[in-house]
Amino acid sequence: MACVMDGNGRWAAQRSLPRTSGHRAAETTVIDVIEAARAAGVEWLSLYAFSTENWSRPGAEVDYLMRLVRAVVRKHAPLLHARGIRCRFLGVSDPRIPGALARDFADLMTLTGDNRGMTLTVAFDHGGRGDIVAAARSLIRAGVAAEAVDERSFAAHLPFPDTPDVDLVIRTSGEQRISNFMLWQVAYAEWVFPTVLWPDFRAPHFLECLHIYRQRDRRFGGALPERNGDSRS
């Protein structure tokens, strides 16, 4: 599963608050969703926290986000470890990321590296196109012949190649865009677009999205068998 955490700015605007207030309010949702996913038996959860495109936001907002994320990581590291959650960070390559934050990311990955209760991947400074380009460069550097490249070998050169394809993506706030998120892994994902803004999203919303997903027929480009003499495509 994966979540595109959208709507922090609109949540703040609706309350005549600065955008930073929306980001701060999102912390509660993040922990609630992690706990709900773990309780529901989700083994892999990815959260889209900061995209490569988000660097274009006002500098003051970006600086605030960096400080906030560091505070959240340091605050909740013991809880995540106690829950048996393995934490990973997808991206984190831009030199503008503060060194202290990058070290906190690395420390959390080391702390939780042997956990197997659930894998939590936080996409931070992430772009799906960039990951695909990086994989292509890796294949070239490895001297892999063009004829030898297939989907399996290509995926092996993506960051965290053990990450399975995403089954369900939840994007809050009603917006319906991929936004350059894990483009390879979401190729056949189901999407749910709840209208609730991310800071108001809670475990019951999450479970409702799971319910919607479970009602769907996943075809992967194929056709379902006939039912009562009617063909379905």
Side-chain angles (χ1 to χ4, degrees):
M1 289 191 60
C3 295
V4 180
M5 306 183 291
D6 197 10
N8 295 350
R10 275 164 286 167
W11 184 91
Q14 289 175 2
R15 292 159 176 77
S16 300
L17 297 171
R19 288 176 57 85
T20 52
S21 296
H23 299 315
R24 186 168 63 249
E27 175 185 349
T28 300
T29 301
V30 169
I31 300 304
D32 207 45
V33 166
I34 292 172
E35 293 281 23
R38 176 177 166 275
V42 174
E43 296 181 356
W44 296 79
L45 176 66
S46 298
L47 302 178
Y48 201 8
F50 191 86
S51 74
T52 51
E53 292 76 20
N54 287 154
W55 289 108
S56 65
R57 293 186 176 186
E61 181 179 351
V62 170
D63 290 345
Y64 178 86
L65 281 167
M66 298 295 157
R67 294 193 302 272
L68 175 65
V69 170
R70 187 177 187 216
V72 169
V73 167
R74 295 171 70 86
K75 175 181 177 182
H76 295 288
L79 172 66
L80 295 168
H81 186 42
R83 294 286 192 268
I85 297 172
R86 177 175 59 162
C87 300
R88 304 199 296 196
F89 294 88
L90 178 63
V92 198
S93 60
D94 195 292
R96 288 173 288 185
I97 295 174
L101 178 57
R103 287 191 295 274
D104 284 341
F105 287 164
D107 289 345
L108 182 57
M109 287 191 288
T110 299
L111 174 68
T112 64
D114 293 331
N115 294 341
R116 292 298 180 266
M118 183 177 79
T119 296
L120 171 66
T121 301
V122 178
F124 192 91
D125 181 37
H126 162 71
R129 286 182 173 179
D131 283 353
I132 291 171
V133 170
R137 289 173 174 168
S138 178
L139 283 162
I140 293 169
R141 285 194 295 268
V144 179
E147 296 76 12
V149 177
D150 56 17
E151 290 186 9
R152 183 182 296 274
S153 62
F154 189 91
H157 286 260
L158 289 166
F160 301 130
D162 61 326
T163 303
D165 286 347
V166 177
D167 293 313
L168 170 64
V169 184
I170 301 168
R171 179 169 187 146
T172 55
S173 86
E175 297 291 341
Q176 300 184 15
R177 296 187 302 275
I178 299 175
S179 296
N180 199 20
F181 177 52
M182 297 181 74
L183 296 179
W184 184 275
Q185 296 89 343
V186 305
Y188 274 100
E190 296 289 321
W191 288 72
V192 178
F193 301 102
T195 57
V196 62
L197 303 176
W198 180 256
D200 290 329
F201 193 76
R202 292 292 181 271
H205 300 109
F206 180 86
L207 295 176
E208 175 62 21
C209 291
L210 271 181
H211 176 73
I212 292 171
Y213 165 76
R214 288 168 178 158
Q215 304 308 304
R216 294 184 179 176
D217 293 316
R218 303 189 73 196
R219 307 175 195 176
F220 299 97
L224 295 175
E226 293 186 0
R227 298 181 182 177
N228 299 324
D230 296 326
S231 62
R232 305 180 70 193
S233 61

